[in-house]
Amino acid sequence: MQEVTIHDKTFEVLIAANDIQQRVAQIAADINENYAEKKPLFLGVLNGAFLFAADLFKNISVPCEISFIRVSSYQGTQSSGKVKSLIGLNMDINNRHIIVIEDIVDTGDTMQYLLAELAQKNPASVKLATMVFKPEALKHPLQPDFIGFTVPPDFLVGYGLDYDGLGRNLNDIFILKNNA
Ligand code: IMP
Ligand code: MG
């Protein structure tokens, strides 16, 4: 499938499913090499990261655990804008080696908040694995430790990423067509 229309917009393939799977396997190999004795705890960020988390996890061969969290974002009553909260962290991460699994780091607002929240709970280490990184959109001094693909700051769908709820089930990652 080279093009797909979702709601009112047309997208074209940016990263093919095969390339995604190969890259995920490379990231897993890197983690396997560096976390042999660490029993890492993966924290997948719902909803978007569920496919990346599953594919990555299938390629992990060292003893490890996984859990899923959510960063909810709602409009505060103050003019300060969006208020975030961390939901679903029901494990003690004290002294654990954490690998956060995210679908995409865009402005970095979500990760900036999440990494600060996790740091307060005294983990042994926290690393960030993101499938997609948009450095040109980044507003915070953060650097993902494991990056699937670095992309331009355009809107993407597929492989967990949605456009207004749709498109998460696409196996390729698609980018908004220029003239769409
Ligand atoms: P942030 O701007 O880095 O905080 O990204 C927040 C969230 O926006 C991500 O976790 C995604 O769910 C969503 N997002 C950012 N860029 C895209 C995109 O290109 N397509 C779909 N969702 C996106
Ligand atoms: Mg997300």
Side-chain angles (χ1 to χ4, degrees):
M1 193 195 306
Q2 287 311 302
E3 275 192 11
V4 64
T5 298
I6 299 175
H7 298 301
D8 55 333
K9 298 198 190 309
T10 301
F11 297 83
E12 60 193 351
V13 173
L14 178 68
I15 308 164
N18 276 345
D19 296 329
I20 295 173
Q21 294 303 324
Q22 273 186 23
R23 185 72 194 118
V24 171
Q26 287 170 349
I27 293 172
D30 192 353
I31 292 172
N32 288 331
E33 221 173 89
N34 288 291
Y35 284 80
E37 309 297 328
K38 294 183 171 166
K39 200 168 55 143
L41 169 59
F42 292 91
L43 292 179
V45 184
L46 295 172
N47 290 326
F50 76 109
L51 288 180
F52 176 38
D55 286 339
L56 185 68
F57 201 64
K58 286 190 283 186
N59 285 281
I60 297 297
S61 54
V62 301
C64 60
E65 293 181 81
I66 190 165
S67 186
F68 289 88
I69 56 176
R70 214 178 255 282
V71 178
S72 80
S73 184
Y74 58 95
Q75 212 70 47
T77 50
Q78 316 272 324
S79 58
S80 56
K82 293 241 171 98
V83 179
K84 292 189 191 300
S85 70
L86 169 57
I87 299 173
L89 183 61
N90 52 14
M91 296 185 68
D92 183 7
I93 68 167
N94 180 47
N95 226 15
R96 296 295 306 267
H97 292 282
I98 306 299
I99 301 174
V100 174
I101 308 179
E102 178 60 304
D103 52 357
I104 187 165
V105 175
D106 184 43
T107 63
D109 282 348
T110 307
M111 276 308 109
Q112 178 78 5
Y113 167 79
L114 178 60
L115 296 175
E117 285 291 303
L118 295 178
Q120 287 180 9
K121 301 177 192 298
N122 298 312
S125 68
V126 180
K127 301 252 176 181
L128 170 59
T130 187
M131 188 66 242
V132 181
F133 182 40
K134 293 182 182 171
E136 289 167 56
L138 194 64
K139 298 193 306 193
H140 302 277
L142 65 86
Q143 175 62 42
D145 302 281
F146 306 98
I147 298 170
F149 299 92
T150 298
V151 300
D154 300 311
F155 195 77
L156 308 178
V157 289
Y159 197 62
L161 294 164
D162 73 302
Y163 169 41
D164 256 356
L166 297 180
R168 294 193 197 274
N169 55 318
L170 299 165
N171 290 347
D172 308 301
I173 293 175
F174 290 75
I175 190 165
L176 191 61
K177 271 189 88 167
N178 276 339
N179 56 358

